[in-house]
Amino acid sequence: MAIRTVIEPFRIKSIEAIRRSTPQQRRQFIEEAGYNLFLVPAEAIMIDLLTDSGTSAMSTEQWAAMMQGDESYAGSPSFARFRDSVQGIFGFRHVIPTHQGRAAERILFTVMCKKGDVVPNNTHFDTTRANCEFVGAQALDLPVCEAKQPARALPFKGNMDTVQLAELIRRVGAKQIPLVMLTITNNSAGGQPVSMENIRAVKEICKKHGIPLYIDACRFAENAYLIKLREPGYADKSPREIAREMFSHADGCTMSAKKDGLANIGGFLCTNDNLLAQQERDLLILTEGFPTYGGLCGRDLEAIAVGLNEVLEEDYLNYRITSTAFLGNHIAAEGVPIVQPPGGHAIYLDARAFLPHIPVAQFPGVALTVELYLEGGIRSVEVGTLMFGEHATMDLVRLAIPRRVYTQSHIEYVVEVILDVWRRREQIRGYEIIHQAPFLRHFTARLKPLNE
Ligand SMILES: Cc1ncc(COP(=O)(O)O)c(C=O)c1O
């Protein structure tokens, strides 16, 4: 019989100690941090699931490649290796390095958008939205309606609503829409994938109206693998072939290499348009650096060049998706409400359903993040009323899993901690804000627990 256990497809050569803490110490840390996990020092965290961005463990191949980093200001061979690696997967004519994803977004929107324009996306990530709005354009989310129904287990809840897209173009006119974006996977809507069928359908509409399609490619490999697992006709294709096909439908992309680049910093912007590329490079020189390094060291370019290929290895993706699903399925089996089905990079707990006795105005998501920390030193992030104020349609708690960092027993530990909190959920109380900043308040807000 074939062995079914999915193992981590790597051995560990260098380790980083996990600092243990007692519940009493954690109570003190969280009180001092105003019950905001962003304000807790990393040394006081045992399992850090705050983000999967920039937190990956690099391979020996990546570290070795970094030694080849050529730090020449112009024309570095490290750039050539980076560009070739990106083009080999993404296939775009122009590759512009940036220091991270949001820098690519800023350049793209500055060059392509003007005041009054509308940019539709399945769901804009918060930096994408902010950069779009910063140039005076309107960032519009057009997710399929299932995206807002956490309990429904459908394969491609990251899709864009194409009926609404067509209707929007009819209403405002193609001239007002300089580009359409698709975020794969759809981070702000539970890390759910976008199907190839949806990418094709969106492209078809864009093509009809002469509007370019750009992909926010942060988690392109996880999206490709979920297509392989869930979309008819792709089971026998490799993740690389699927990725090539996804990007063949687009005119360009933005990328944060801190996710599926398996690097700790970096990003890029791609386009097939010669004129836009020229304008983008001019702007790049102004704020990021010369077009052969774009704010990155030669050694960062090398790490990304290798990481982009490693992330497409099937053994890696199988382990990645299986490990995330293990966490989601084990807690869901005990009744814990999560965004279904488990996506690629994170599991999202539905805090409103987890703590129905806590009114939305008393931040059920914050209450849950605090309890996971007190119980087991786990850092998660609230994606709900604290983050979005009255615009929040859900109160989620995201457990983002860094790539190649935690082992199966770490994940089992997380399952145990969540289930312990689940069993005593009725005793958990809500919170009120005692200090908040005028914008992006979730990063620095201080709160205090409410008594009965
Ligand atoms: C979907 C998506 N787009 C863009 C970004 C921005 O990337 P960066 O943090 O590298 O600026 C992120 C980061 O989390 C993201 O998840």
Side-chain angles (χ1 to χ4, degrees), residues 51 53 100-103 105 125 127-128 183 185 187 216 218-219 256-259 266:
T51 177
S53 179
Q100 59 184 87
R102 67 197 69 183
E105 291 163 2
F125 180 67
T127 59
T128 324
T183 304
T185 56
N187 185 8
D216 176 338
C218 293
R219 298 179 181 83
S256 167
K258 298 172 73 175
K259 286 87 172 172

Side-chain angles (χ1 to χ4, degrees), residues 58-73 76-83 85 97-99 257 261-267 292-308:
M58 292 210 297
S59 67
T60 49
E61 298 291 325
Q62 284 177 291
W63 285 110
M66 283 178 88
M67 286 305 290
Q68 294 183 63
D70 182 309
E71 304 304 340
S72 303
Y73 188 95
S76 162
S78 297
F79 173 71
R81 284 190 279 272
F82 166 84
R83 181 202 53 213
S85 174
T98 58
H99 80 275
L262 294 177
N264 302 119
I265 195 71
T292 59
Y293 75 88
L296 293 170
C297 300
R299 53 181 177 267
D300 296 328
L301 296 169
E302 298 278 0
I304 298 167
V306 176
L308 288 172

Side-chain angles (χ1 to χ4, degrees), residues 336-393:
V336 176
I338 65 165
V339 173
Q340 288 283 12
H345 73 295
I347 292 298
Y348 294 71
L349 308 179
D350 180 352
R352 289 187 192 176
F354 198 116
L355 302 170
H357 57 286
I358 300 183
V360 166
Q362 294 178 11
F363 307 106
V366 172
L368 193 46
T369 60
V370 171
E371 294 306 319
L372 294 174
Y373 177 67
L374 288 173
E375 189 74 32
I378 296 171
R379 174 151 64 178
S380 54
V381 63
E382 188 254 19
V383 183
T385 306
L386 183 63
M387 194 179 269
F388 300 121
E390 78 258 26
H391 302 296
T393 53

